Amino acid sequence: MDGTGPTYITLWQLFVLAVGVLMGTSTLLPAGVPAGRDAWLAVLVALSVGLVLTALWQRLIDGVAAANRRSPPGGQEQAEKRPPAGRVWIVAFGPVVGRIVAALYFVHFVHWSAAVLRNMTTLIGLEVLPRTPTPVILVPFVGLAVWSISQGIEGTGRLAEVVIPIAFIASGLILLLALLTPGLVDMGQLLPLFERGYRPFLHGVLLAVSFPFAELVAFIPIALSLRDPSRAATPMRWAMVVTGLLLAMQEVRNIAVLGVHEAVRFLYPGLAVNELIELGRVVQRIEAIAIAVWINAGFIKLTVIMLAATSCVQEILDLRERRHLPPVIAAIGLVAGALAAGLYSTAGELALFAMDVWVVYAPLFQIAIPAIALVSLRMRQRQLQPDAGTIMAGTATPGRSGRRSGVSPGGRAGRPPYRTKR
Amino acid sequence: MPKAASPPPSTGEGREQSMGQDGNGPGKKRPAKENAASKADHIPLVQAVVAELGHPEDLMTRQLRLDGQTVEIVFIDGLVDRTTIQDTIVNRLQREALRRRAQVSRRSGITLQDAEASMVGTPHLERVEELDQIINRLLEGGTLIAADNWKQALMASTEGWEKRDITEPDTESVVRGSREGFTENLRTNTALVRRRLRSRDLVLERLRVGSVSNTPVTIMYLKGIAHESLLAEVKQRLARVDINGVLESGYLEEWIEDNPFSPFPQVQYTERPDRVAAALLQGKVAIMADNTPMALIVPTTLNSLMHAPDDYSERSWLSLPVRLVRYTGLIFTLLLPATYVALTSYHVELVPTPLMLSLIRQRETVPYPSVVEALGMELVLQILIEAGVRLPRPVGSAVTIVGAIVIGDAAVSAGLVSATMVITASLTALASFTIPAYNLGATIRWLGVLLIIPASILGILGLLFGIMALLIHLANLRSFGVPYLVPTAPMVWESNREDMLWRSYHWRQPFRPQFLARRETRSIGSSEATGLQGWKPPQQPPARESKHLELERSYSATARGRTR
């Protein structure tokens, strides 16, 4: 762990991290519940909306990365020394408004990580260790997350590379097991479609967009740690497709096994299904594995969100060196842990919050502010560098031109040429 | 420096004694009594050397008086081959003196050049001047030849000492593969590797480590294959070592590893020269210390510690199940005891009902919680393993049998532990020995014991926390800059396909692992001869010789003929 060199993550790491964020809470807390029987369809529609959203984020990332390359924070020679993450909103909005937006995002990320933590502790309290007090679970969880993030984003990426593929394959296998258990699945329960009209369906779609697909907004600062940020959208899209299909199939399974009434009633319908799996008295009590998978993926999700929160602080306070970060991360962990313990009184309240408030509140950060940021970034760039028209020229496809701006027109290549694959 | 060596109590006497013993030694020109000469008899250079070394009793000085000239020979007994000294130095000098007496009338003594020319039989001869250099060479087994009228002295290499034969490695035995193992002699060890890599690119660099022990340490690598940055790092870290003595390569290991506080071994050691050769071919660097039958290999990854030499010489596909078994062994070792504790003390409902009933019936008589049972059983097991290592070999197996069968069986029937716990513990111990690297196996075994503690506090969740903590640590661990979990994290697809769980066919591994070696160097084909761009790895093994095909065809033709 040296604090000098720039830290990078690979595209594959971004992919597994994104899968972790998407799987984190959503494999047990089902997405698109308000759509009832059509939840799986809502997930698929939300998936396509999410895919479109990545284009928006990618443009923002491109613009920010190009601007950071042209004028690296801390000067050209500092560019190779400091971690490349950070500096999104200041680039887009300017030093004052940018800091305010970063602060807003900071609050959002901390609150969000508190919600994730709360989800975890609730599940563990309900299903694993019912008589253990919450802090006993919360403290090691937050401690581990803080320790992991303090060692840098590379370590988090590598951790995800180990954990997430196993978690994903295990989820897939559990899904298969439900189909293999005789007499469990009744596909007829999926019909009819749009039984209650389109309004609940739309509500389900909206919920599924904001939870989980648009949650990848947390990767806007993290994607700047890629060697080539202009390729950030691809792993994110693949993560959405892969996890979206898994989630949709889980919705199908939940409804086909439990029926729509039960599936909507349960807090964790996935667990209820897993408890029913029994193959020849050997394969049973699968829910333990499901919970382990969920905790692992949830941990990755927590670290990603806390990383994003850290990058906000980094941006606001202009922290240049990695050794400044651990106290910040510890503070974030403390606040998130405290919020998780105190913010919601019951698990039901949290579920209601997710269903009614999150669906309106989260898109503000996931869609609205990034869109405004993109517009603001372009306007600022026109003002600042009227001669840099080549970068942002052809306003129809600025993202694409940003992609080419690896060699910027000033002739100052900010970074060494990207490592090409053989 | 040698100054630190404490001088023997009675210096003059010691020397006298040693010289007296040297009866069968070289050049017995003078009677033994004369050897008890005072310091003043030595020529100044030898006097300085003897004083610098502190008059040790094993320092041999011998004076030859050749026609008025005093030639003195200095060496350390036990480090030199006396026959070599007799044959190549003393005899030659005498003959040279006789020749000069016959040819030249004036008695000027042997000149330095003549002496040098006369000792052609010495493998290595050099002129020396500096005291430090002389003393270092003496301590290595050199012999100093000095004369009163020479400006410089001569240093001949006469190393020769008792050494162990090359034997089969004990800790890394293989079914198929070389039976040679390293010995304590550095030169023998380097030769063992050189015999496997007869290449001009094999570079050996010598340095000395240890302010007192002055241990020769050799860095070995293949020029053009090993990364320059890795080499620089290795040299820099070795230069940082500041220690009195290097008695085993483990002393070096702790100085040069990335994270000394990590429980995981970040440097691989081996006593197999073929393993070192394979590692060098991959672009790694080997470090060998004198007096150590183990070579250190850096960088090391978890994956490489899980590989055994057999994997590379046996059938390719066999590597997959074998390695899967090893990884299963690793997971068993790490998790089995902790899982037992977590399940029996917290999550009985997770165990299928019939198994649960059986477990409960077994544990009925056990008078304490399963944590105590597990920790106690693990302790007994570790005692058995440790005793097995330390005990004399004939006793060892008997004790192991007594421990495993008698104690285990008696403990179960006495109701002290449950039978399941005995099975768990023994399976854990057995599984830990599927890990090819002994140090990794021991690490995992003890980590498995440690994991019992969180599992006993928070059940499966505690176990998850423990695993998570281990994984976080592993994900951030590096060995000489190479991430420890590579090629899984960070993902390197080529290496995963070529040599991770499945050791792919040798002809299908055209490149060296990119995280180790310079990517442009190929491991099959020669990179100079073939244009790098156009070359493609063979997709199929080379076609068989037509002769065999002919034979086969004729055989099948006759077979067909018969059936008709």
Side-chain angles (χ1 to χ4, degrees):
Chain A
M1 189 176 74
D2 60 326
T4 51
T7 49
Y8 291 113
I9 57 171
T10 62
L11 290 176
W12 171 253
Q13 279 169 348
L14 184 62
F15 170 77
V16 285
L17 283 170
V19 171
V21 168
L22 292 177
M23 274 177 66
T25 12
S26 49
T27 42
L28 282 196
L29 277 181
V33 187
R37 187 169 282 160
D38 309 320
W40 62 277
L41 206 56
V43 167
L44 288 182
V45 174
L47 164 65
S48 42
V49 176
L51 290 178
V52 176
L53 272 180
T54 53
L56 168 69
W57 300 332
Q58 179 66 69
R59 281 168 197 213
L60 182 60
I61 291 168
D62 280 345
V64 169
N68 274 338
R69 250 199 307 276
R70 275 196 306 279
S71 55
Q76 195 72 41
E77 64 276 7
Q78 272 267 321
E80 284 300 311
K81 283 189 186 166
R82 58 164 281 162
R87 279 249 181 176
V88 180
W89 311 112
I90 288 180
V91 175
F93 289 110
V96 180
V97 185
R99 283 198 163 84
I100 295 172
V101 173
L104 286 177
Y105 267 97
F106 172 73
V107 173
H108 172 59
F109 287 140
V110 170
H111 171 247
W112 181 13
S113 43
V116 172
L117 265 175
R118 177 60 199 231
N119 263 322
M120 303 269 207
T121 49
T122 307
L123 171 94
I124 293 165
L126 287 178
E127 301 280 342
V128 189
L129 297 168
R131 293 196 298 185
T132 307
T134 314
V136 176
I137 303 163
L138 211 52
V139 168
F141 223 100
V142 174
L144 280 178
V146 168
W147 182 43
S148 175
I149 304 166
S150 305
Q151 303 195 49
I153 189 171
E154 287 181 319
T156 309
R158 280 186 230 132
L159 179 69
E161 276 178 302
V162 181
V163 169
I164 294 301
I166 299 173
F168 190 85
I169 292 169
S171 295
L173 286 180
I174 291 171
L175 196 69
L176 266 183
L177 282 177
L179 300 178
L180 287 177
T181 305
L184 210 56
V185 178
D186 175 14
M187 286 295 175
Q189 306 215 50
L190 288 167
L191 295 174
L193 295 175
F194 301 111
E195 189 187 22
R196 291 183 294 149
Y198 65 92
R199 284 186 70 89
F201 179 74
L202 276 187
H203 188 190
V205 170
L206 276 181
L207 183 58
V209 167
S210 60
F211 168 77
F213 293 107
E215 288 185 339
L216 294 192
V217 73
F219 283 101
I220 290 181
I222 292 170
L224 292 175
S225 295
L226 287 172
R227 274 181 196 278
D228 182 4
S230 67
R231 291 165 74 186
T234 319
M236 275 151 83
R237 283 178 190 145
W238 274 110
M240 279 188 184
V241 169
V242 169
T243 323
L245 289 179
L246 180 79
L247 292 182
M249 277 159 71
Q250 277 178 344
E251 295 288 352
V252 168
R253 174 201 64 180
N254 289 352
I255 293 158
V257 172
L258 298 172
V260 66
H261 300 294
E262 295 280 299
V264 172
R265 199 171 58 82
F266 275 120
L267 186 57
Y268 305 117
L271 271 191
V273 174
N274 290 334
E275 279 165 16
L276 296 175
I277 293 175
E278 188 172 344
L279 276 179
R281 301 185 84 183
V282 181
V283 182
Q284 51 178 333
R285 319 284 157 106
I286 296 296
E287 70 269 19
I289 298 171
I291 290 173
V293 163
W294 194 68
I295 290 174
N296 279 317
F299 182 80
I300 299 293
K301 179 169 186 169
L302 183 69
T303 51
V304 168
I305 302 167
M306 283 173 66
L307 258 175
T310 314
S311 79
C312 289
V313 179
Q314 221 177 331
E315 196 167 347
I316 296 168
L317 301 181
D318 200 19
L319 299 178
R320 291 270 163 81
E321 288 173 44
R322 231 157 86 180
R323 68 191 164 89
H324 294 149
L325 294 184
V328 172
I329 298 164
I332 292 172
L334 269 180
V335 176
L339 281 180
L343 211 51
Y344 307 99
S345 52
T346 61
E349 196 185 324
L350 178 60
L352 277 182
F353 168 81
M355 209 119 62
D356 295 336
V357 183
W358 181 266
V359 76
V360 192
Y361 145 80
L364 179 69
F365 291 95
Q366 294 163 343
I367 305 166
I369 298 183
I372 299 169
L374 187 61
V375 174
S376 163
L377 180 71
R378 290 211 188 138
M379 283 164 58
R380 274 169 57 79
Q381 276 176 344
R382 280 214 193 117
Q383 278 173 3
L384 289 176
Q385 295 197 337
D387 57 325
T390 40
I391 300 176
M392 286 294 149
T395 41
T397 56
R400 300 229 160 253
S401 58
R403 194 163 303 182
R404 262 181 264 120
S405 63
V407 186
S408 53
R412 295 192 306 178
R415 293 187 190 175
Y418 305 125
R419 259 168 86 183
T420 45
K421 292 186 88 179
R422 88 181 146 92
Chain B
M1 289 311 296
K3 270 178 191 169
S6 60
S10 57
T11 50
E13 240 178 43
R15 201 171 74 251
E16 184 187 354
Q17 208 175 19
S18 70
M19 290 174 135
Q21 285 169 354
D22 195 21
N24 54 350
K28 201 183 170 195
K29 287 278 284 183
R30 296 187 303 162
K33 272 177 197 170
E34 267 183 68
N35 277 355
S38 68
K39 278 182 208 168
D41 272 334
H42 289 306
I43 58 174
L45 179 67
V46 177
Q47 212 169 325
V49 168
V50 172
E52 184 73 27
L53 281 172
H55 310 274
E57 55 106 3
D58 59 348
L59 184 73
M60 303 283 178
T61 55
R62 172 142 310 285
Q63 280 188 346
L64 310 175
R65 292 213 184 270
L66 305 166
D67 296 336
Q69 183 190 23
T70 309
V71 177
E72 231 170 327
I73 293 172
V74 184
F75 58 92
I76 295 175
D77 193 22
L79 298 184
V80 295
D81 183 17
R82 289 182 178 190
T83 335
T84 313
I85 295 178
Q86 178 73 39
D87 291 350
T88 61
I89 300 171
V90 179
N91 288 356
R92 295 296 175 141
L93 282 173
Q94 276 179 318
R95 203 176 297 167
E96 178 68 16
L98 287 173
R99 190 179 67 84
R100 289 182 74 84
R101 198 181 290 164
Q103 288 179 355
V104 189
S105 54
R106 61 198 169 89
R107 298 178 143 199
S108 62
I110 305 169
T111 61
L112 188 61
Q113 288 81 2
D114 287 340
E116 228 173 349
S118 69
M119 286 182 257
V120 280
T122 328
H124 183 80
L125 191 71
E126 61 181 338
R127 292 187 184 187
V128 284
E129 227 166 347
E130 288 170 28
L131 195 58
D132 271 354
Q133 193 191 359
I134 292 171
I135 283 171
N136 281 339
R137 293 282 290 116
L138 276 179
L139 290 168
E140 273 175 23
T143 297
L144 176 74
I145 305 131
D148 47 3
N149 57 347
W150 293 353
K151 278 186 181 162
Q152 287 170 308
L154 288 174
M155 183 61 83
S157 82
T158 50
E159 293 88 350
W161 50 78
E162 296 300 318
K163 49 190 176 189
R164 193 166 63 93
D165 286 340
I166 296 173
T167 50
E168 189 171 346
D170 281 332
T171 55
E172 291 169 278
S173 46
V174 292
V175 176
R176 178 173 175 180
S178 149
R179 294 284 188 272
E180 284 181 331
F182 286 133
T183 70
E184 282 75 9
N185 187 345
L186 182 61
R187 191 47 76 226
T188 314
N189 294 351
T190 55
L192 281 173
V193 177
R194 216 184 247 292
R195 265 175 30 210
R196 283 164 175 81
L197 300 171
R198 294 166 196 262
S199 160
R200 75 191 74 174
D201 290 336
L202 180 65
V203 182
L204 275 71
E205 284 182 29
R206 164 75 69 96
L207 56 143
R208 289 180 173 278
V209 185
S211 54
V212 176
S213 72
N214 255 313
T215 313
V217 171
T218 295
I219 307 174
M220 285 182 115
Y221 59 92
L222 280 169
K223 194 173 60 192
I225 292 177
H227 259 303
E228 286 85 359
S229 52
L230 170 66
L231 268 174
E233 187 69 31
V234 170
K235 286 176 194 168
Q236 191 201 336
R237 287 191 191 185
L238 278 174
R240 264 200 326 236
V241 179
D242 181 15
I243 191 174
N244 277 354
V246 179
L247 304 185
E248 216 281 336
S249 53
Y251 289 54
L252 289 179
E253 183 180 331
E254 280 186 11
W255 277 88
I256 61 174
E257 62 195 356
D258 290 50
N259 183 355
F261 301 111
S262 168
F264 291 92
Q266 299 142 59
V267 175
Q268 186 175 9
Y269 64 77
T270 180
E271 49 178 330
R272 301 188 58 85
D274 53 345
R275 211 159 186 194
V276 170
L280 294 183
L281 277 174
Q282 278 190 328
K284 296 183 180 180
V285 175
I287 303 163
M288 290 180 181
D290 200 10
N291 304 317
T292 303
M294 302 276 176
L296 303 179
I297 298 172
V298 292
T300 300
T301 62
L302 187 70
N303 194 29
S304 68
L305 289 172
M306 294 299 285
H307 293 176
D310 294 44
D311 300 355
Y312 297 89
S313 40
E314 270 304 334
R315 306 283 310 155
S316 160
W317 75 272
L318 279 177
S319 62
L320 179 65
V322 169
R323 283 181 183 176
L324 278 178
V325 164
R326 275 188 218 137
Y327 274 100
T328 315
L330 187 142
I331 291 169
F332 271 21
T333 314
L334 195 62
L335 300 184
L336 217 53
T339 312
Y340 173 81
V341 170
L343 286 184
T344 48
S345 36
Y346 285 92
H347 313 283
V348 189
E349 77 280 357
L350 287 182
V351 186
T353 318
L355 181 60
M356 178 181 76
L357 289 176
S358 149
L359 270 181
I360 289 173
R361 217 174 300 128
Q362 284 173 31
R363 285 198 38 79
E364 246 173 3
T365 53
V366 181
Y368 28 73
S370 58
V371 200
V372 181
E373 188 190 2
L375 283 178
M377 198 62 214
E378 283 294 327
L379 183 67
V380 170
L381 209 88
Q382 301 292 346
I383 288 174
L384 278 177
I385 292 173
E386 186 60 20
V389 176
R390 303 279 159 243
L391 280 171
R393 215 161 276 180
V395 195
S397 57
V399 168
T400 319
I401 290 167
V402 168
I405 297 172
V406 180
I407 296 182
D409 193 43
V412 172
S413 46
L416 291 177
V417 286
S418 63
T420 321
M421 186 63 236
V422 173
I423 297 171
T424 310
S426 6
L427 192 58
T428 308
L430 213 57
S432 77
F433 291 108
T434 58
I435 300 170
Y438 174 79
N439 49 359
L440 183 67
T443 301
I444 299 287
R445 205 162 57 228
W446 281 104
L447 286 177
V449 177
L450 285 183
L451 275 183
I452 293 177
I453 295 163
S456 69
I457 297 170
L458 281 177
I460 289 285
L461 188 69
L463 187 56
L464 265 182
F465 282 151
I467 298 170
M468 203 53 107
L470 276 184
L471 283 180
I472 292 172
H473 172 66
L474 282 173
N476 286 292
L477 191 62
R478 285 164 179 272
S479 167
F480 281 78
V482 174
Y484 201 55
L485 293 181
V486 84
T488 310
M491 183 67 82
V492 182
W493 291 105
E494 293 86 0
S495 303
N496 262 319
R497 200 180 56 225
E498 286 164 3
D499 193 13
M500 165 68 192
L501 279 180
W502 174 38
R503 193 272 298 166
S504 182
Y505 304 101
H506 289 300
W507 44 263
R508 215 183 248 173
Q509 301 181 26
F511 294 100
R512 299 194 162 80
Q514 71 173 34
F515 47 89
L516 290 176
R518 292 175 26 187
R519 194 63 184 154
E520 67 270 16
T521 58
R522 294 185 156 277
S523 56
I524 60 177
S526 127
S527 30
E528 295 98 43
T530 55
L532 281 178
Q533 299 300 321
W535 198 85
K536 277 194 173 170
Q539 287 306 304
Q540 280 168 359
R544 288 178 296 175
E545 289 296 315
S546 57
K547 199 171 122 192
H548 294 281
L549 278 180
E550 285 301 317
L551 272 175
E552 217 165 84
R553 242 180 249 137
S554 58
Y555 176 75
S556 55
T558 49
R560 262 203 308 277
R562 261 182 223 145
T563 49
R564 275 173 200 166

